[in-house]
Amino acid sequence: MQNIKLDLSYTGITEKEISKYATKVKKIYNKLNEISEDENEFVGWLKLPSNYDKKEFSKIKKIAKKIRKESEVFVVIGIGGSYLGARAVIESLTSNFANMFPDKIRKSPQIFFVGNSISPNYINELIDCIGNKDISINVISKSGTTTEPAIAFRIFREFLENKYGADEAANRIYVTTDKKKGALKELADQEEYETFVIPDNIGGRFSVLTAVGLLPIAVAGIDIDKLMEGAKNAECNYSDDSIKYNQCYRYAVVRNILYQKDKTIEILANYEPKLHYFTEWWKQLYGESEGKGHKGIFPAGVDLSTDLHSMGQYIQDGKRNLFETVINVEETKTDIKIKRDEDNVDGLNFLAGKTMDYVNKKAMQGTIEAHVSGGVPNIIINIKKLDEETIGELIYFFELACAVSGNILGVNPFDQPGVEAYKNNMFRLLEKPGYEKERPDVRS
Ligand code: PA5
């Protein structure tokens, strides 16, 4: 079963152009497949849905249950790939207002994400918001040394120790990190925190279907068996080596053809606010994987129709270096019928009897047509509905497409050498030992 359908009819790209990539994508997939079990390559995500560690998975479910029982608040500490996947899935599949329901009604702990900035305000305000509630924390860092989560963890560890004492705090701290190395692993061993492993051959931005994403997702009450089932369907569907039928390859190829035609910015557009963080996850996946060697499509995102009232003008009429990828959720979870109003002062009676989802879909169709005629090719990704299976499938779809696309572009999609530059400068400015190098001359 495929819950994702790709529509390329608004791209202006022909079947002939796509088919030229047939041999190339087949070779790329075969290579990925060949190295997928190699501990030294970062391709462990390729077979993960069919080959994940079942013992670790059961432990995730067991601990998630414990956390749900013991905690009113669950704080997830992490940044980049150690944060965005969990937030993307949780926000796609739970209420927009999940954290705001009164405690008596809510079935899951409030989930807050921290350690993804260095803002003291954010942490102080979160601590004020938590107040006296019972809390557990999950600190996630593959390297175990990333500054933002490390600072947040130091603060929250102290918060827990002050609140519960060292022993009970240790019972409420969960660590997701490398199986052997890093400062976080060392600390977890020393304090005997419960730990979860990030496999060596899965990089941060490809790690949502490991404990990195799965523990917070399970704590949110989301069915992680179904999520993995969806990803497994995708793993099976997208191993088809025919470029004619493999939608994942087709997406990867078409975005590269558009890039060759100077469409250097891809905007991921959604018409469902629940997908805001899915877009953030996608931006990180593609930005960090492809932006290298002065190459790569710049991944941007818009929430529509909201951003039609801010970015709409640019998309319609600004520099023509854009293409758009629209995620269309075919079936809405709930709907509202617009009623007739006797006075009709707002002039909306022409919509009476129609549903909001119907109007949303028409807004989408109208926007696609407007943008395409304004010179912005549109790729449409139709997904069935927002449920665990579909989101699992979509995650895998974008991960594989990203790996294929990066290889077509000629970059290594699995490293991120560029992110070191700011860190080196920051550490030098903070006088971290070992970083006392001369200041680079960047001003004229
Ligand atoms: O995708 C990546 O590799 C990065 O975005 C990392 O996830 C991010 O930098 C956080 O790293 P770590 O998990 O080591 O703290």
Side-chain angles (χ1 to χ4, degrees), residues 79-82 141-144 146 204-205 284 288 416:
I79 195 165
S82 290
S141 176
K142 179 159 172 147
S143 62
T146 307
R205 57 192 173 274
Q284 192 231 351
E288 234 174 49
Q416 54 282 331

Side-chain angles (χ1 to χ4, degrees), residues 354-403:
K354 309 259 188 331
T355 69
M356 278 190 76
D357 187 54
Y358 176 85
V359 178
N360 200 19
K361 295 284 195 293
K362 294 296 172 210
M364 181 184 74
Q365 191 55 36
T367 306
I368 292 169
E369 287 169 15
H371 289 178
V372 171
S373 54
V376 178
N378 269 225
I379 296 172
I380 319 295
I381 298 179
N382 295 302
I383 65 169
K384 198 128 195 268
K385 53 183 163 183
L386 289 181
D387 64 6
E388 282 89 340
E389 282 98 337
T390 309
I391 290 294
E393 206 173 313
L394 197 58
I395 287 170
Y396 191 89
F397 172 89
F398 279 129
E399 286 181 349
L400 178 57
C402 180

Side-chain angles (χ1 to χ4, degrees), residues 55 57 71 106 158 172 197 276 286 309 338 357-358 368 390 396:
K55 216 167 134 205
F57 194 80
S71 331
R106 228 187 21 254
E158 190 192 4
R172 290 172 173 273
V197 173
H276 175 82
Y286 281 77
H309 301 261
I338 299 165
D357 187 54
Y358 176 85
I368 292 169
T390 309
Y396 191 89

Side-chain angles (χ1 to χ4, degrees), residues 148-165:
E148 293 88 339
I151 294 175
F153 182 46
R154 192 178 266 213
I155 295 164
F156 274 92
R157 188 158 64 102
E158 190 192 4
F159 177 80
L160 255 77
E161 285 173 355
N162 289 342
K163 183 174 165 76
Y164 295 108

